[in-house]
Amino acid sequence: MRTVSIYSAITVTLLIWYGAASNPFRIGGLFLKEMVLNRKYMLHFVALMLILFCNKLELQIESTMTVTYDYAAFFHSIEGNFVKNLQDAFHNKYLTTFLGFMYVIVFQALLIASIAIYTFQSKDRRMFYAVCYAVMIIYLVAIPFYLFLPVNEVWAYDPTVQFLMVTDHVFPNFESQYRALSGIDNCFPSLHTAISVTLSILAVRSGNKRWAWFCCTSAAIIIFSIFYLGIHWLIDMCGGVLLGVLASTIAMRLSSAQFSLRRSQRTLKRSNINYVREDAK
């Protein structure tokens, strides 16, 4: 876990430097400043952290439920051996190392770096708020599926599919270190897909071309990795893409509507002030 934390910190720092084209430590200082001085910013960030915590809470609730059904067999009956065939076609230990790094390290680094970059990039913080709203929407939609539509990961259902993260010794302790954060039957929709697609769409909407290019490329690689590593079904990916598009669209509208309302309030306030001044004359 310590090694993963070090890799994650280095990756986040490099991504902020690349995406913002600025000193990442300066941006880190700006984040701390906003957390202290901007109440609205701080509340949105805290809400984001709380919704991420809800995923762990979902696992605790799930452990108390007596659910014995699993829709993995149904998913397999629809898509057949898609994951197995893809894994067999591309299996290579060096590819496993690269895709494991993308799945574990880069995925979470993209979210953290996006928050930092958008904090630095726009004075009104509109894209920062859009990221917060989008991730919260994704989790609020996904958690009920995880509770009431359990789908085991492909490798856990199909013995012909390997969990390459472990069998190729990329992250051999994955099950003991990460399973507490992600249930083995929390497959549909794929969070890795949904969040990756969301960050890509928001990056494109932000106008930051270099960050948009990186996020879109990373999303494609991460989506490939969920199949290659033997984790997700094709249907999980389809659900994740749909959820990502939906969440990013709603999030942008919420963020834009919020600032449109604020502008209207400021305009009305200025009009009232001018009216009072004219009346006083």
Side-chain angles (χ1 to χ4, degrees):
M1 182 64 76
R2 180 180 300 175
T3 302
V4 170
S5 298
I6 294 173
Y7 284 155
S8 297
I10 294 173
T11 303
V12 167
T13 302
L14 292 175
L15 290 185
I16 294 173
W17 169 78
Y18 171 80
S22 183
N23 186 334
F25 300 104
R26 176 190 171 196
I27 297 175
L30 178 61
F31 167 78
L32 294 176
K33 179 181 177 181
E34 288 294 299
M35 286 291 290
V36 173
L37 301 179
N38 189 334
R39 182 181 178 185
K40 180 181 175 182
Y41 184 100
M42 181 269 291
L43 290 175
H44 277 76
F45 184 78
V46 170
L48 177 62
M49 293 298 100
L50 288 176
I51 202 68
L52 294 175
F53 174 76
C54 284
N55 188 54
K56 187 172 183 179
L57 181 63
E58 178 270 329
L59 293 174
Q60 294 176 349
I61 296 173
E62 187 178 331
S63 65
T64 66
M65 299 172 64
T66 57
V67 175
T68 57
Y69 54 88
D70 169 26
Y71 287 94
F74 176 66
F75 280 28
H76 185 265
S77 69
I78 295 175
E79 60 186 69
N81 295 321
F82 170 80
V83 174
K84 178 185 183 303
N85 293 336
L86 183 146
Q87 192 177 79
D88 290 345
F90 292 96
H91 187 198
N92 177 281
K93 65 178 182 178
Y94 299 108
L95 183 59
T96 304
T97 301
F98 172 68
L99 294 179
F101 183 82
M102 294 295 296
Y103 185 89
V104 176
I105 306 296
V106 174
F107 169 72
Q108 60 183 354
L110 281 173
L111 177 56
I112 299 171
S114 292
I115 290 173
I117 290 168
Y118 297 143
T119 298
F120 173 76
Q121 179 176 299
S122 58
K123 292 182 179 180
D124 60 12
R125 310 288 184 258
R126 184 177 308 188
M127 294 307 301
F128 162 77
Y129 295 126
V131 170
C132 292
Y133 293 143
V135 174
M136 286 189 278
I137 291 169
I138 287 172
Y139 274 90
L140 289 174
V141 172
I143 285 175
F145 281 96
Y146 296 159
L147 286 173
F148 304 110
L149 189 76
V151 181
N152 274 333
E153 294 177 0
V154 182
W155 68 272
Y157 170 80
D158 187 349
T160 65
V161 175
Q162 301 180 65
F163 186 26
L164 294 180
M165 197 100 69
V166 174
T167 57
D168 280 2
H169 305 289
V170 175
F171 290 104
N173 297 323
F174 185 92
E175 285 300 293
S176 61
Q177 294 182 352
Y178 288 92
R179 190 51 65 191
L181 303 174
S182 177
I184 200 170
D185 59 357
N186 290 0
C187 263
F188 179 84
S190 165
L191 283 181
H192 269 68
T193 300
I195 293 177
S196 296
V197 168
T198 292
L199 294 178
S200 298
I201 294 174
L202 293 180
V204 172
R205 296 288 298 271
S206 74
N208 186 333
K209 292 182 179 180
R210 60 194 292 154
W211 186 238
W213 178 88
F214 187 85
C215 286
C216 291
T217 302
S218 296
I221 296 172
I222 290 170
I223 290 173
F224 178 78
S225 76
I226 69 175
F227 303 131
Y228 174 85
L229 295 171
I231 299 171
H232 279 286
W233 304 89
L234 180 61
I235 299 173
D236 301 336
M237 183 273 287
C238 294
V241 169
L242 181 61
L243 179 54
V245 172
L246 177 68
S248 58
T249 301
I250 295 175
M252 282 301 300
R253 290 182 178 179
L254 287 174
S255 182
S256 297
Q258 178 183 156
F259 285 94
S260 296
L261 177 61
R262 179 176 293 181
R263 282 196 302 267
S264 298
Q265 290 173 339
R266 285 199 297 262
T267 302
L268 180 60
K269 184 177 180 180
R270 284 195 297 267
S271 298
N272 290 337
I273 292 173
N274 291 334
Y275 176 80
V276 170
R277 287 176 178 173
E278 291 294 326
D279 189 55
K281 292 179 180 178

